[in-house]
Amino acid sequence: MTDHGDDELSSRTGSPDEEGRVPEERSLLHQSLAVRELIDTEVSYLHVLQLCASDIRSHLQQLPQGDLDVLFSNIDDIIKVNSKLLHDLQETAAREEEQVQLIGNLFLEFQEELEQVYKVYCASYEQALLLVEAYRMEPRLQREIQDTIEAVLPQAGSSGLSFLLVIPLQRITKYPLLLQKILENTLPDASAYPVLQRATSALQDVVTNINEYKRRKEVASKYTKVEHLSLRERLARISMHTLSKKTTRLGQLLKQEAGLVPKTEDKEFDDLEESFHWVSLCVTELKNNVAAYLDNLEAFLRFRPQEYDLDIPGGPVVQYCYLARDLQLQAFPEFKQRLEALVWQPLCSLAKALAGPQNLIKKRLDKLLDFERVEEKLLEVGSMTYEEEAARHMYEALNSLLVAELPQFKQLAMRWLGQILCTFVTLQRDLAKQVLQRAEGSLAQLPHHHISDPAFRKLVEDALGQTSHQLHAFQENFEKVLPPPTTQPLLPGAEHQVQALLSRYGPGKLYQVTSNISGSGTLDLTLPRGHVVALLQDKDTKGNSSRWLVDTGGHRGYVPAGKLELYHVVPREEELRGQARPHRDSQRQTPEPTLASVPSVLAVTQVVAVYPFVARSSHEVSLQAGQQVTVLEAQDKKGNPEWSLVEVNGQRGYVPSSFLARAPGPALWGWSLPS
Amino acid sequence: MSWIPFKIGQPKKQIVPKTVERDFEREYGKLQQLEEQTKRLQKDMKKSTDADLAMSKSAVKISLDLLSNPLCEQDQDFLNMVTALDTAMKRMDAFNQEKVNQIQKTVIEPLKKFGSVFPSLNMAVKRREQALQDYRRLQAKVEKYEEKEKTGPVLAKLHQAREELRPVRDDFEAKNKQLLDEMPRFYNSRLDYFQPSFESLIRAQVVYYSEMHKIFGDLTQQLAQPGRPDEQRERENEARLSELRALSIVADD
């Protein structure tokens, strides 16, 4: 390339014996030659760059765009900067006396830009080379590339792409050398000297910085890559080497903790680490809390009270349904979506960014432990192996990297956090605004919209109190719907039998037959309606639970369960009490007929004579069928229940109990269920 | 009761006119619908308010955790912002609690009360049904005796059966009439009953969101973040991310 050729310039040097003026003249001559070299090389450099960027790159279109980006990196930016530089350099030629000074100033001006633009290019150069190597593996592709290059830049020869891509690197490192050459040929007392000196060292710094930047990037990328290794890969990674590294580190750490070895305290770093840790904590907590908030929001949106139909055609109920639907379909989903995009996503990205520094901090500690051991060894042995040197360098590299960048990280993260929080607040305000806008319409149509809130609250309280009373009234009314009349009258003469069953089995086991039962099988009973029996088993031998085994007091057998109803024997007090009290307890599922016809208890019992009866003595009284009589006592003087003392037509006397039938008396009506 | 032989127990004549029965079914049907809807509405309303409270609590936690981070001691600006945020969240939570209380009092409780009438109603309907069954059965019995040859015992039995029938029939008629009167009245009462609740519901929401608008509006002003369209905010987020990624210590992922 053209760059090589011009290096032969400064071979002529004057001999030290010559007179003073000659070196000076020679210096000036060399100086102007050096200046010209600078400018000429810049021209050809720029020319090559442009050829690369436009002609060569455009002919390599068969390569994917991603590859081209890697290969040529930010060459366009470089061209921009260098074009400007060249232009300004060429302008300095007009001002001959001050040219050198102007050049110095120019480079000082461009220092920053050059560093920015070249460091990017240099950092990605390694990757570009890898890519070039990959292409070399494919003969057809390689040939195409070669042809393209040769067509555009015959001087490139067979070296190909790598030759071209290294040119910017060479150039940036050349600047300090070129400037140095000018400086060497400048008189120390010349006005240009200090400027030039500064410019030279500035460009030297640029090169140093670029190298440092490149090294940091390499170190960082080695450790920050979140690697997804398979188990096999992980196992393959574990070698004796790594194992021994880990154990020595652990040993070192233990020694530190045990105080056997002084910990390298680095307050500055510890503060940075602590600070970073808090930022980390802040971000993680915030992310979790926002996640919880979003979950709750989602849960809230699942419930839709407005979807239930109370069959109310208008008024606030309908207003509410419209409003709630509106909010649920529009306002809230919008809020949620904005939250996710503008708060949740950034938090996730921010949280992910924490991983890199966290890893590096950990690695630094590991390397520090290695380093300390090395130092110990150095004290003992006096030297260290290459590996141990490498450990020290690695630690120092990581340390300086972190010290330089952690504060920046914190600052950037905090700034972003602040923005995210502000966004959160703004979104809440926007949601409120949305809701209010949509509610405006409904609000105006409410019947009491003109009333202030405290007054309205009172109004609602009163209204609800009133309607509550109304509801109570309804409830009472429904409860007053009377229980069915007592199931059926007790057969005459049955009380004795009932008492017997009662005493033998207890009250819970007594059932009354609700309608006539005619038994079919040998074990089935035939019972008239009203008969009371005691339950022995609520299923038959085959497990059929609709067939119950009962005891009539005389016989045992099966009856259909559906024809039985629980029979209650209720003492007198409760009966009378139950008459007056309205039902309060709405929880009872079954109305229990509390009346048990215990005729001996009820003094006032209307009965009907079923059969006619002719009195045969003065103790007895005659009956006509269907006649209403009043039972005074259901047994005779000797306690025999077969006779009852009745009053009929003003006359009193005994009649056979079996001739009487209980009929429900009016005293039963008007009962409510007992509480 | 399938084991009852069909002919026994079913009266010959139709004791309840079809129209009456139909009216009853219709009115009761409407009420059954209403019962279900109010039950489910009450449940949903409760769940909704619970979720609302949970949301507010998690908002408070956001600012609480921020405030307890040591960064607040280091960075005055951060502390100011987080303190202001915390104050706002706590106030909003208080307002939210008030809103929920108001809803509890004026919507959920009344719904519960309304729903508690239904068991009594259902009970009453069951009793009417029972009475109807009894009525039917006794009517059939009377008819049976009426068809028999009129001997003494038959007459006695007929008389007895008629005596039994009368009160049962009266009972049924009474129950039927009572329910036919009360059911529509109860059903219509829902109109007056629910309107205040829902009006209260809307107003409670408006009060809450007005406060929310004011508090967060003020806070937005205070944090000096002017209104920006969402695209701009997204671009800023991208920019912040790129800044972070430019650091070597941040992984390029």
Side-chain angles (χ1 to χ4, degrees):
Chain A
M1 257 297 301
T2 50
D3 221 349
H4 296 305
D6 293 339
D7 253 332
E8 317 311 314
L9 203 57
S10 49
S11 40
R12 251 184 14 181
T13 47
S15 74
D17 295 323
E18 287 181 52
E19 6 169 342
R21 270 193 81 240
V22 176
E24 196 181 301
E25 274 176 9
R26 204 168 281 153
S27 292
L28 266 168
L29 183 61
H30 289 172
Q31 189 194 57
S32 67
L33 283 175
V35 167
R36 195 135 60 86
E37 182 186 357
L38 174 62
I39 299 182
D40 289 347
T41 50
E42 188 69 23
V43 169
S44 51
Y45 167 63
L46 197 57
H47 177 67
V48 169
L49 277 188
Q50 280 162 338
L51 280 178
C52 277
S54 51
D55 293 12
I56 294 183
R57 181 160 63 172
S58 56
H59 278 103
L60 292 177
Q61 283 309 318
Q62 70 267 47
L63 299 175
Q65 185 57 38
D67 281 7
L68 286 177
D69 286 344
V70 169
L71 286 177
F72 292 99
S73 187
N74 64 338
I75 202 170
D76 301 305
D77 294 336
I78 293 182
I79 290 175
K80 242 200 291 201
V81 172
N82 276 89
S83 305
K84 248 195 325 175
L85 178 63
L86 180 59
H87 176 260
D88 291 351
L89 273 175
Q90 283 168 333
E91 283 201 328
T92 65
R95 324 260 296 277
E96 255 198 58
E97 304 81 42
E98 307 165 309
Q99 187 177 27
V100 174
Q101 184 165 3
L102 288 171
I103 290 178
N105 278 326
L106 196 59
F107 272 97
L108 286 172
E109 241 180 74
F110 271 83
Q111 175 192 13
E112 180 77 33
E113 252 184 287
L114 285 171
E115 183 174 328
Q116 286 307 322
V117 114
Y118 276 90
K119 88 175 173 189
V120 173
Y121 186 89
C122 295
S124 63
Y125 175 69
E126 299 285 336
Q127 250 195 312
L129 276 190
L130 285 173
L131 209 53
V132 170
E133 272 308 304
Y135 294 154
R136 220 184 268 279
M137 299 300 167
E138 285 195 49
R140 195 184 59 92
L141 189 57
Q142 179 65 7
R143 227 187 358 265
E144 279 177 33
I145 295 175
Q146 275 305 113
D147 292 342
T148 310
I149 295 176
E150 273 166 32
V152 179
L153 279 174
Q155 315 92 306
S158 58
S159 329
L161 265 181
S162 53
F163 182 81
L164 294 178
L165 296 177
V166 84
I167 288 173
L169 259 80
Q170 290 174 332
R171 187 66 188 162
I172 191 69
T173 51
K174 192 79 178 186
Y175 285 127
L177 300 176
L178 289 168
L179 287 175
Q180 182 69 28
K181 210 190 286 181
I182 303 176
L183 187 65
E184 280 167 5
N185 292 302
T186 310
L187 297 171
D189 53 1
S191 54
Y193 193 86
V195 178
L196 203 53
Q197 196 175 37
R198 282 209 314 273
T200 314
S201 71
L203 265 290
Q204 189 62 51
D205 288 343
V206 166
V207 174
T208 314
N209 289 347
I210 289 177
N211 285 336
E212 179 68 15
Y213 177 79
K214 180 156 168 276
R215 194 156 61 91
R216 279 186 191 177
K217 264 260 183 249
E218 280 168 10
V219 164
S221 66
K222 180 175 173 199
Y223 290 115
T224 58
K225 281 259 176 299
V226 180
E227 300 186 60
H228 300 282
L229 298 173
S230 71
L231 187 57
R232 274 175 66 117
E233 287 165 328
R234 285 185 198 276
L235 287 174
R237 280 274 190 95
I238 297 175
S239 63
M240 281 317 295
H241 179 69
T242 49
L243 272 177
S244 74
K245 264 214 268 190
K246 284 194 195 312
T247 44
T248 40
R249 277 188 200 139
L250 187 57
Q252 191 71 9
L253 192 57
L254 288 174
K255 277 201 254 174
Q256 268 186 4
E257 297 303 324
L260 296 171
V261 156
K263 249 205 277 215
T264 308
E265 293 262 316
D266 185 346
K267 178 111 182 40
E268 187 194 359
F269 187 85
D270 287 344
D271 285 345
L272 283 177
E273 188 191 347
E274 194 180 45
S275 210
F276 172 78
H277 174 69
W278 292 337
V279 171
S280 198
L281 185 65
C282 190
V283 170
T284 317
E285 265 180 355
L286 184 60
K287 180 174 161 222
N288 290 340
N289 286 338
V290 168
Y293 182 81
L294 279 170
D295 282 345
N296 284 330
L297 176 59
E298 223 169 293
F300 174 70
L301 290 177
R302 269 206 297 270
F303 301 118
R304 309 204 174 114
Q306 69 274 13
E307 285 180 359
Y308 297 107
D309 179 19
L310 299 175
D311 189 22
I312 298 181
V317 175
V318 171
Q319 293 295 334
Y320 170 75
C321 289
Y322 284 152
L323 177 62
R325 203 168 40 225
D326 208 10
L327 291 180
Q328 197 148 52
L329 290 179
Q330 306 222 318
F332 275 99
E334 192 186 315
F335 173 64
K336 179 160 177 268
Q337 182 258 332
R338 286 177 86 200
L339 260 182
E340 282 168 350
L342 301 176
V343 174
W344 171 247
Q345 284 302 333
L347 271 175
C348 287
S349 305
L350 184 50
K352 262 211 282 208
L354 292 170
Q358 273 164 354
N359 266 345
L360 285 178
I361 290 174
K362 201 156 63 79
K363 272 297 161 192
R364 172 198 166 274
L365 180 61
D366 290 344
K367 294 297 174 190
L368 178 59
L369 294 173
D370 293 348
F371 173 33
E372 286 176 344
R373 216 180 51 77
V374 163
E375 293 248 299
E376 281 173 37
K377 191 178 163 210
L378 191 60
L379 289 172
E380 295 164 20
V381 175
S383 72
M384 53 175 109
T385 64
Y386 172 72
E387 213 186 62
E388 289 153 351
E389 276 279 348
R392 179 162 87 160
H393 287 143
M394 191 54 68
Y395 160 75
E396 283 170 356
L398 281 173
N399 195 60
S400 65
L401 179 60
L402 286 168
V403 166
E405 294 201 338
L406 274 180
Q408 291 178 48
F409 183 91
K410 179 182 166 189
Q411 193 195 22
L412 292 172
M414 294 299 289
R415 186 170 162 216
W416 200 4
L417 258 181
Q419 280 182 339
I420 291 173
L421 287 173
C422 289
T423 306
F424 184 72
V425 168
T426 311
L427 291 183
Q428 299 276 357
R429 179 204 64 186
D430 290 348
L431 172 67
K433 189 152 126 198
Q434 276 283 305
V435 173
L436 288 174
Q437 267 174 357
R438 288 165 201 273
E440 249 179 346
S442 315
L443 203 54
Q445 289 179 37
L446 292 181
H448 302 100
H449 67 278
H450 47 283
I451 299 182
S452 76
D453 280 316
F456 176 76
R457 270 195 277 267
K458 181 89 180 53
L459 196 67
V460 169
E461 224 179 280
D462 291 342
L464 287 177
Q466 268 183 355
T467 45
S468 175
H469 281 141
Q470 244 185 21
L471 279 184
H472 222 52
F474 276 121
Q475 193 167 1
E476 278 181 18
N477 281 342
F478 288 132
E479 281 158 15
K480 266 203 265 158
V481 170
L482 305 158
T486 179
T487 43
Q488 38 273 325
L490 202 57
L491 289 173
E495 285 77 40
H496 186 67
Q497 174 229 7
V498 170
Q499 291 299 323
L501 286 176
L502 187 61
S503 46
R504 194 139 118 225
Y505 293 100
K509 294 281 189 186
L510 296 189
Y511 286 81
Q512 189 172 37
V513 178
T514 54
S515 57
N516 292 341
I517 298 176
S518 20
S520 42
T522 39
L523 293 175
D524 291 336
L525 295 176
T526 298
L527 295 175
R529 177 164 170 265
H531 204 95
V532 174
V533 298
L535 176 66
L536 294 173
Q537 273 261 320
D538 60 357
K539 50 183 187 281
D540 66 9
T541 49
K542 297 200 194 80
N544 184 359
S545 58
S546 60
R547 225 172 141 233
W548 288 0
L549 181 64
V550 301
D551 183 0
T552 64
H555 307 285
R556 291 189 181 195
Y558 287 101
V559 294
K563 287 199 176 181
L564 293 181
E565 199 172 66
L566 203 59
Y567 183 72
H568 289 263
V569 184
V570 175
R572 177 188 190 168
E573 299 76 38
E574 223 173 280
E575 281 180 316
L576 291 180
R577 255 198 333 225
Q579 270 192 357
R581 227 179 325 159
H583 177 51
R584 277 272 167 262
D585 177 11
S586 60
Q587 299 308 314
R588 288 266 202 98
Q589 292 307 312
T590 46
E592 291 160 346
T594 56
L595 172 68
S597 317
V598 182
S600 55
V601 174
L602 280 181
V604 206
T605 307
Q606 302 293 321
V607 299
V608 167
V610 184
Y611 310 107
F613 175 70
V614 174
R616 294 164 310 192
S617 68
S618 55
H619 303 290
E620 301 165 0
V621 69
S622 296
L623 290 179
Q624 285 173 343
Q627 200 173 20
Q628 283 229 355
V629 303
T630 309
V631 169
L632 300 173
E633 271 183 47
Q635 58 207 13
D636 70 5
K637 291 282 185 275
K638 297 198 196 86
N640 185 354
E642 281 179 41
W643 291 92
S644 296
L645 179 64
V646 303
E647 187 176 308
V648 59
N649 290 340
Q651 288 181 308
R652 286 189 186 195
Y654 285 99
V655 298
S657 304
S658 54
F659 278 42
L660 302 174
R662 297 269 170 267
L668 295 172
W669 300 112
W671 279 23
S672 307
L673 295 170
S675 45
Chain B
M1 306 248 286
S2 54
W3 43 268
I4 302 177
F6 183 73
K7 25 186 191 153
I8 302 176
Q10 293 300 320
K12 295 237 171 82
K13 77 167 189 225
Q14 183 76 344
I15 50 177
V16 179
K18 273 208 166 66
T19 49
V20 171
E21 197 57 39
R22 208 183 48 222
D23 285 344
F24 191 89
E25 293 293 316
R26 189 189 61 233
E27 289 303 319
Y28 188 50
K30 284 197 318 204
L31 279 167
Q32 282 177 314
Q33 256 281 80
L34 186 60
E35 179 182 7
E36 185 179 333
Q37 294 292 305
T38 45
K39 241 195 225 146
R40 289 167 69 190
L41 173 60
Q42 183 197 337
K43 263 209 203 113
D44 238 33
M45 197 60 92
K46 180 82 179 49
K47 288 202 192 130
S48 177
T49 47
D50 284 345
D52 198 344
L53 283 171
M55 223 169 87
S56 197
K57 293 283 174 254
S58 56
V60 168
K61 186 164 194 292
I62 287 176
S63 58
L64 211 59
D65 283 346
L66 283 171
L67 206 50
S68 65
N69 193 298
L71 283 173
C72 291
E73 289 160 32
Q74 280 187 342
D75 190 335
Q76 187 63 36
D77 289 335
F78 187 70
L79 176 63
N80 292 342
M81 174 173 66
V82 167
T83 310
L85 183 66
D86 189 54
T87 311
M89 291 304 192
K90 288 203 172 103
R91 287 181 68 198
M92 282 321 301
D93 192 43
F95 280 120
N96 198 44
Q97 188 66 56
E98 242 183 67
K99 174 184 85 178
V100 165
N101 288 346
Q102 184 71 356
I103 293 179
Q104 182 73 26
K105 207 169 58 168
T106 59
V107 182
I108 296 182
E109 287 294 328
L111 272 171
K112 231 197 254 175
K113 279 210 189 108
F114 193 81
S116 69
V117 177
F118 285 100
S120 309
L121 168 66
N122 293 334
M123 202 65 312
V125 169
K126 270 210 194 95
R127 283 184 236 130
R128 172 203 175 263
E129 186 58 33
Q130 179 72 40
L132 183 57
Q133 298 295 348
D134 288 344
Y135 181 14
R136 283 212 173 99
R137 194 183 56 231
L138 291 180
Q139 178 70 21
K141 191 160 151 193
V142 163
E143 285 169 6
K144 183 180 86 181
Y145 284 133
E146 273 171 353
E147 284 164 14
K148 276 200 178 147
E149 201 186 316
K150 302 252 189 311
T151 64
V154 168
L155 279 175
K157 286 210 173 100
L158 177 60
H159 179 81
Q160 180 185 356
R162 282 201 183 121
E163 286 301 308
E164 280 179 19
L165 173 64
R166 195 170 17 96
V168 170
R169 182 186 56 223
D170 291 345
D171 176 52
F172 168 76
E173 299 289 358
K175 286 183 162 81
N176 195 45
K177 178 171 187 314
Q178 184 180 9
L179 283 174
L180 278 177
D181 284 342
E182 291 291 311
M183 288 202 297
R185 279 183 55 213
F186 178 50
Y187 188 73
N188 289 336
S189 76
R190 82 195 181 292
L191 292 169
D192 288 332
Y193 190 67
F194 289 124
Q195 303 290 25
S197 294
F198 280 85
E199 190 173 353
S200 170
L201 183 57
I202 295 179
R203 287 185 70 137
Q205 308 266 22
V206 169
V207 164
Y208 172 75
Y209 282 102
S210 305
E211 288 299 333
M212 186 175 171
H213 186 245
K214 182 166 180 312
I215 289 177
F216 282 116
D218 288 347
L219 189 55
T220 309
Q221 296 280 53
Q222 188 184 343
L223 298 176
Q225 294 268 334
R228 307 198 282 290
D230 284 2
E231 298 83 35
Q232 193 179 349
R233 284 184 200 268
E234 276 175 15
R235 277 203 300 273
E236 278 172 12
N237 283 324
E238 291 292 319
R240 295 289 88 76
L241 184 60
S242 310
E243 280 170 5
L244 276 177
R245 289 222 180 122
L247 293 177
S248 315
I249 59 176
V250 176
D252 300 319
D253 223 308

